Amino acid sequence: MKITFQGHSCFTIEEGGHRIIIDPFLTGNPQAVSGPDDIKVEAVLVTHGHADHLGDAVEIARANNAPVIAPFELVNYCTEKGAEGHPMHIGGGFDFPFGRVKLTIAFHGSTTTDTGAVGSPCGFLVTMGGKSVYHAGDTALFSDMALIGPVDCALLPIGDNFTMGIDDAVKAIALIKPKTVIPMHYNTFELIEQNPEEFKEKLSAFDTRVEVLKPGQSVEI
Ligand code: NI
Ligand code: MN
């Protein structure tokens, strides 16, 4: 499985000829090296309605004839904007042609800039070709993360202020027990400036491999 960091909380995941994107914030993302026109995917997963996650989801879904996969209320928002959608909700899983997606809890908000609240935020547990990836979305640390792992890879926010910071993300690793972790949701904006090398250092005694990726960089897991 190939995971490519697209900046902020956006990742593309490829496995067995399938490709999906999560939280496609590209337009207006100062870290992004790809634009929405560069993205060829069969599904667009969105954790919540905030602009730094919903991003170009509707445009990419429409251009690719790909469904937006998200919590029910957020999918309704996207289908009203002309995208196809596959509504899900917390705790539910579904087998798509590319793999399985299960929605996890996330402690955060979910609003859009034009319509306000769009239900609950989520995280995603994605399984493709026997490999599992947990994208936590924007969330605080919560002890039920222990029920999500172990996973092959965790994508965890470390930016603090709006989400977990480094110390709570280290506690999350102890709960999730991922083989690999990729930090996300830091250094995009001034309020979430963090040093990912500090995260790596604090995990040096753990069995988890830490991959600090620059936007556009990929890792095989
Ligand atoms: Ni958010
Ligand atoms: Mn965010």
Side-chain angles (χ1 to χ4, degrees):
M1 175 187 281
K2 182 180 175 187
I3 301 176
T4 304
F5 184 46
Q6 302 288 355
H8 200 54
S9 293
C10 181
F11 293 86
T12 44
I13 301 176
E14 293 167 66
E15 168 64 36
H18 297 282
R19 189 185 304 115
I20 65 169
I21 192 165
I22 304 179
D23 283 359
F25 171 47
L26 300 173
T27 302
N29 177 351
Q31 292 189 328
V33 294
S34 298
D37 295 344
D38 304 323
I39 303 297
K40 302 285 175 261
V41 289
E42 60 187 273
V44 181
L45 281 62
V46 187
T47 59
H48 64 293
H50 293 160
D52 59 319
H53 298 263
L54 180 61
D56 303 298
V58 169
E59 294 77 3
I60 292 170
R62 288 178 60 151
N64 288 272
N65 277 324
V68 172
I69 300 170
F72 174 76
E73 296 85 354
L74 180 53
V75 164
N76 285 346
Y77 173 88
C78 293
T79 54
E80 277 170 21
K81 304 278 184 193
E84 290 173 47
H86 180 108
M88 296 183 70
H89 232 302
I90 312 296
F94 189 82
D95 292 312
F96 292 92
F98 63 84
R100 182 168 180 82
V101 176
K102 185 177 180 187
L103 268 60
T104 69
I105 56 174
F107 287 96
H108 193 66
S110 185
T111 56
T112 63
T113 45
D114 54 347
T115 63
V118 282
S120 307
C122 75
F124 291 114
L125 179 60
V126 177
T127 309
M128 294 169 72
K131 293 282 174 92
S132 54
V133 183
Y134 168 49
H135 186 298
D138 278 359
T139 188
L141 173 68
F142 55 91
S143 59
D144 282 357
M145 282 179 173
L147 301 172
I148 296 168
V151 294
D152 291 297
C153 186
L155 312 173
L156 293 187
I158 63 162
D160 217 347
N161 193 75
F162 296 113
T163 67
M164 292 188 283
I166 287 173
D167 288 342
D168 279 357
V170 169
K171 288 181 184 169
I173 294 295
L175 297 170
I176 302 162
K177 298 182 171 55
K179 288 190 185 127
T180 299
V181 63
I182 305 171
M184 64 177 183
H185 210 271
Y186 66 94
N187 289 356
T188 323
F189 314 111
E190 208 172 301
L191 278 175
I192 56 172
E193 277 179 10
Q194 293 295 329
N195 179 4
E197 295 303 323
E198 181 189 334
F199 179 58
K200 194 170 185 171
E201 176 65 30
K202 286 182 169 170
L203 287 172
S204 56
F206 286 63
D207 269 344
T208 297
R209 175 170 67 131
V210 184
E211 291 282 357
V212 176
L213 300 182
K214 290 191 172 64
Q217 281 188 329
S218 302
V219 67
E220 286 282 342
I221 62 145

